[in-house]
Amino acid sequence: MNFDMPLPKNFAPIQRRPLYLQTMEQVREMLRSRKPGERIETEPELLRILGVSAVTLRRAIGELEREGIIERRQGSGTYYLGDSPVQRKHVAVVLGVDETSANLSPYFPKMVREIRKALGRLGIASRPYHGDLPLGIEATGIHCPDFFDDVRLGRISGMISFFTYREPGWVSLLRKHNIPFIDPLETRTIFPRSNFLPWAIDLADRHGRRKVAAVTWESPTDGVNPFTRELTALAEKHKIGLERSWLDASVNGWEPGMGWERFRDIWRSAKEKPDMLIVGDDMVFSDVQHAILELGIRVPEDLLVVVRGSDVYQMDLRVPVALYIGHTLEQAEAHAAAMKARLDGAPYEAPKEVAHHVEFFDMEALFSPLAGSPAPAPQPETLSLL
């Protein structure tokens, strides 16, 4: 046999294309007869039709979504957008930490989902992005390569983010591409301050509590410290004692035991004990509560406790507390409305207060030992027993 025979002019070597690329072409071919906006088959149906593995199909579908050919809508299905070479832009909803991090509050993944739903109701396409740093590492930027790739490819029209910290690199990149963004620092300028601290200090006034302690978490990176600044100003205005050693703004809820340890230190080191405790985070209070029980503190006789939380995280309450609960859905809608205004180049009028309600756990035990009859909280949406 002659192995030196010349190859035919029209000879083309066999190319082994990855299976997911072949699957993408099969799906494209299926969609050519569809109209833009039409819902396509479910994943089980496509698996049956195409005869590929779920891993291969999901990668193919993911690539088609990145190209703007299809769009997956949570709770609704997958839709064909049109086989156009023009990329469809979307708002990036960024969670700056790894969503699988241990002890990440369920509030953040919930907010990402609710914001995307709220954007969808406004007719704005969106896509989630997740950082690759575990919770607890204080990042100085955004650690999400997909996000930066899509910015440079012109796929992103705006950004809403959580657990992201301002760093000149990503800020200048977004501004270079005229991409509006809402991050934790920006949120404080878009939305007015919560009524939580004024409500808590009003509660202290009405029940004669003059020595306030507080535990919460504030980022040491951005240096804004809104909780500390507002609480200090309110305490001074109302002539309420707030010893510096009674205020700890470095307590986070994702490190088990931290709230227990820090509040024990506050209570044991104080010769004159505080008579009110303000907790800025529901996950932090889950730990603080163990210290209260261990120390034998009577609540509310010795210590009136108020906690800010959300309607996502469920606390196992074992002492009577006053809860100030934020509504995740209304917060998400406010973020989406602010982003739409920025995309439209229109002014945005922030709501006076993102919806909340007040709940009292064991109301009778909370107020019966206290002098006077409690006035209702300022304009609560709901007043109920847990």
Side-chain angles (χ1 to χ4, degrees):
M1 183 177 294
N2 184 1
F3 290 99
D4 297 324
M5 291 178 59
L7 295 173
K9 292 182 179 180
N10 61 351
F11 174 82
I14 297 174
Q15 295 183 353
R16 296 187 179 274
R17 300 178 66 215
L19 188 54
Y20 82 91
L21 292 177
Q22 298 176 46
T23 304
M24 283 177 64
E25 293 306 316
Q26 288 178 287
V27 175
R28 279 184 195 274
E29 193 60 36
M30 288 175 56
L31 297 177
R32 295 197 193 283
S33 60
R34 309 293 177 87
K35 295 179 180 179
E38 187 176 340
R39 183 177 175 178
I40 72 172
E41 287 80 359
T42 63
E43 181 179 302
E45 290 170 336
L46 288 172
L47 288 172
R48 180 177 53 81
I49 294 168
L50 300 172
V52 295
S53 71
V55 172
T56 298
L57 178 63
R58 286 169 190 163
R59 183 169 182 187
I61 292 297
E63 291 298 322
L64 289 171
E65 186 176 29
R66 283 173 63 83
E67 290 182 7
I69 305 302
I70 61 174
E71 178 183 49
R72 285 179 283 196
R73 301 174 188 171
Q74 188 172 7
S76 178
T78 303
Y79 293 80
Y80 176 52
L81 302 178
D83 199 355
S84 169
V86 179
Q87 291 291 347
R88 187 169 188 251
K89 289 190 174 184
H90 56 261
V91 169
V93 185
V94 180
L95 179 58
V97 296
D98 186 343
E99 66 173 342
T100 65
S101 296
N103 300 315
L104 175 66
S105 171
Y107 168 81
F108 294 102
K110 175 73 171 177
M111 276 297 292
V112 169
R113 292 191 297 270
E114 292 299 337
I115 285 175
R116 294 195 65 213
K117 291 178 185 177
L119 289 167
R121 288 191 288 272
L122 296 175
I124 301 172
S126 66
R127 182 191 161 192
Y129 295 81
H130 299 106
D132 55 15
L133 287 180
L135 186 65
I137 294 179
E138 187 77 7
T140 55
I142 298 176
H143 294 260
C144 182
D146 286 354
F147 170 74
F148 291 109
D149 288 345
D150 285 351
V151 168
R152 295 185 179 95
L153 290 170
R155 293 169 173 166
I156 292 178
S157 57
M159 181 190 82
I160 301 173
S161 67
F162 299 91
F163 267 109
T164 56
Y165 304 101
R166 289 209 178 180
E167 184 269 328
W170 71 259
V171 172
S172 61
L173 179 65
L174 264 59
R175 287 177 174 162
K176 175 183 176 182
H177 290 266
N178 297 315
I179 297 173
F181 61 87
I182 299 172
D183 67 343
L185 189 60
E186 184 73 4
T187 297
R188 298 176 188 131
T189 66
I190 292 177
F191 305 111
R193 287 175 174 172
S194 163
N195 283 334
F196 168 65
L197 286 175
W199 169 75
I201 294 299
D202 180 67
L203 199 61
D205 266 344
R206 287 188 281 116
H207 296 292
R209 302 303 169 111
R210 314 311 299 165
K211 296 172 290 184
V212 175
V215 291
T216 192
W217 183 82
E218 294 183 304
S219 169
T221 300
D222 59 34
V224 177
N225 304 322
F227 184 99
T228 299
R229 292 184 181 186
E230 185 178 11
L231 179 57
T232 302
L234 285 168
E236 183 177 346
K237 178 181 177 181
H238 290 258
K239 295 181 170 52
I240 290 176
L242 181 67
E243 298 289 338
R244 186 66 191 90
S245 61
W246 293 354
L247 172 58
D248 193 331
S250 64
V251 186
N252 63 64
W254 59 80
E255 293 188 27
M258 180 176 281
W260 168 81
E261 177 187 11
R262 298 294 176 80
F263 179 71
R264 270 200 329 161
D265 290 345
I266 290 173
W267 189 263
R268 287 178 167 178
S269 64
K271 292 182 180 179
E272 186 178 15
K273 308 297 184 185
D275 56 17
M276 182 172 181
L277 173 64
I278 299 174
V279 184
D281 180 270
D282 44 19
M283 286 188 70
V284 168
F285 181 69
S286 293
D287 262 356
V288 170
Q289 179 174 235
H290 291 297
I292 291 173
L293 294 169
E294 178 186 310
L295 293 165
I297 300 170
R298 297 176 304 162
V299 180
E301 293 91 340
D302 300 332
L303 191 71
L304 178 60
V305 180
V306 295
V307 182
R308 177 172 60 185
S310 74
D311 54 3
V312 180
Y313 182 72
Q314 299 298 315
M315 291 183 287
D316 178 21
L317 293 172
R318 301 183 185 182
V319 297
V321 300
L323 298 176
Y324 187 95
I325 307 296
H327 289 185
T328 308
L329 179 60
E330 282 82 354
Q331 292 171 6
E333 288 177 341
H335 278 82
M339 177 52 64
K340 186 177 190 306
R342 293 194 169 194
L343 294 174
D344 294 342
Y348 173 69
E349 185 174 348
K352 293 182 180 179
E353 166 78 7
V354 177
H356 72 281
H357 67 273
V358 177
E359 295 178 352
F360 297 97
F361 174 70
D362 193 350
M363 188 186 297
E364 184 178 353
L366 180 62
F367 286 114
S368 59
L370 304 178
S373 175
Q379 299 181 347
E381 284 198 355
T382 306
L383 191 62
S384 62
L385 291 174
L386 288 183

